[in-house]
Amino acid sequence: MTTPFKRPADTYSPLYFLASLGAGGLSVTFFMFLFFWVPHPNQPVPVFEDIWAAFSQGMLPLQAAILIAWAGIAVFAFLNVKYLLWNLSALSAFKKTEAYTTLRNSNAETTLLAGPLAAAMTINALFIVGMAFVPMLWTIVEYLFPMAMVAFGLVGLWALRLIGDFLGRVLSQGGLFDVTAHNSFAQLLPAFAISMVGVGFAAPAAMSTTPATVAIALVISTFFAVAAVIYTLLAAATAFASMLHYGTHKEAGPTLMVIVPIVTILSILFLRQEHGLHVTFGVHGAEGETMIFLARMLSVQVVFLALGLLVMRRQGYFADFVLGPKTSPGSYALVCPGVAFAVLMHFFINKGLVASGAIDKFGVAFWILTAIAIASQVLMIALVIRLNRQHFGKPALPEAVPAE
């Protein structure tokens, strides 16, 4: 009997939720074009009416940027939803296998947090789709905010339950956590997930005009932000000690840069909270303070990007798992840092340097720095295309062996 050839994705891992996450993140990078380049004087974010007005009346470069943004948002939001649904179906089947039972009793149990992480990103991505394509959305947005908070609340409960199962298992008894397998930042995935939930809750804090909605969003997003920071610090400290002793687990090398997306998410969360406090509760902050805050966050990202790339280059990760014949679902974790760096660069340039008067909007310095963000975005698009072909494309047929 001939054994059918399988795609790598047919051997399921919850880390394949990161394929959905990466696509959703790329849709956000395209929304940055609209967010920072399209005037939107009547609300804190551009909506379809603003975008259409800019497209109809703008110069050719702006029109081209809007078309690219629309196309990018549509394509990658579609991929985000497609891979989320595929993962939910695959996870349902995976739960019936012995491999799932083994996973639930190992360090890898936290990989299940990739599920709520991707789901929270999908809610964000769908909101971006609404702003970019749905006319008159802002007339009903105050009704949408409570619905969004309910959705994020359900995803947050999903994440907290998974974290509770894991910590309850390993902390209630000794010897259930393999410290020798803790030699990566893989255990930061729970922090990544709850930070994504937190930034979703922070959106109504920045955009709603209803004080009660803003207050609830501020409080709940603060809880998830604080929880994410605590979890990140504890997990990173213990993991780094293990890496110093055992070296970094090669296949988990991309997790060394998971700090990068966590930093971007928390930075946006704090900016959203600051905006809500300013508009609704009269708490004022200076543009210069925002500039130096974003500079500090960007510096953290550069440090961990340099560390991760150094270790993975020394270990030959890219030659094996990205450009070579080997595959690992954890390779999708490479997309998140590049996307997150691009997004935070846009915020640093526009909310930091431009807002404080350090550089002129659309000046030479502006475009030199923006080119860095766009280069990171383009590189991540190429990486997603490569990984999707590796993991979800048709399996290659084996080469025929000539008869002797």
Side-chain angles (χ1 to χ4, degrees), residues 322-339:
V322 179
L323 303 175
K326 297 181 180 179
T327 58
S328 168
S331 296
Y332 277 100
L334 289 170
V335 179
C336 305
V339 165

Side-chain angles (χ1 to χ4, degrees), residues 141-326:
V141 74
E142 291 297 338
Y143 299 99
L144 296 179
F145 287 141
M147 295 171 60
M149 287 196 289
V150 169
F152 280 114
L154 293 174
V155 174
L157 290 174
W158 179 14
L160 291 174
R161 181 177 179 180
L162 290 174
I163 294 171
D165 288 345
F166 173 71
L167 292 180
R169 180 175 64 83
V170 300
L171 295 180
S172 61
Q173 305 177 50
L176 297 181
F177 185 79
D178 186 358
V179 178
T180 64
H182 188 33
N183 54 338
S184 72
F185 280 168
Q187 293 301 323
L188 269 67
L189 190 57
F192 193 179
I194 55 180
S195 65
M196 186 67 76
V197 173
V199 79
F201 269 109
M207 292 183 267
S208 177
T209 57
T210 304
T213 301
V214 175
I216 293 170
L218 283 170
V219 171
I220 300 179
S221 63
T222 296
F223 165 77
F224 281 103
V226 170
V229 170
I230 293 172
Y231 206 109
T232 297
L233 293 175
L234 293 176
T238 55
F240 200 77
S242 183
M243 284 187 284
L244 289 174
H245 187 75
Y246 300 105
T248 303
H249 187 276
K250 181 176 179 179
E251 196 168 338
T255 66
L256 290 174
M257 298 184 291
V258 73
I259 293 287
V260 177
I262 292 175
V263 165
T264 290
I265 292 168
L266 291 178
S267 297
I268 295 173
L269 186 155
F270 294 139
L271 289 176
R272 286 176 169 178
Q273 289 186 330
E274 181 184 0
H275 184 79
L277 287 169
H278 168 68
V279 173
T280 306
F281 298 108
V283 179
H284 300 283
E287 286 80 2
E289 293 174 341
T290 300
M291 179 183 69
I292 199 63
F293 164 71
L294 291 172
R296 289 168 180 161
M297 297 300 100
L298 202 60
S299 298
V300 173
Q301 290 189 328
V302 171
V303 168
F304 281 94
L305 282 169
L307 174 65
L309 293 173
L310 171 67
V311 173
M312 287 190 291
R313 184 177 64 84
R314 290 285 185 92
Q315 292 183 328
Y317 183 92
F318 294 99
D320 286 341
F321 294 103
V322 179
L323 303 175
K326 297 181 180 179

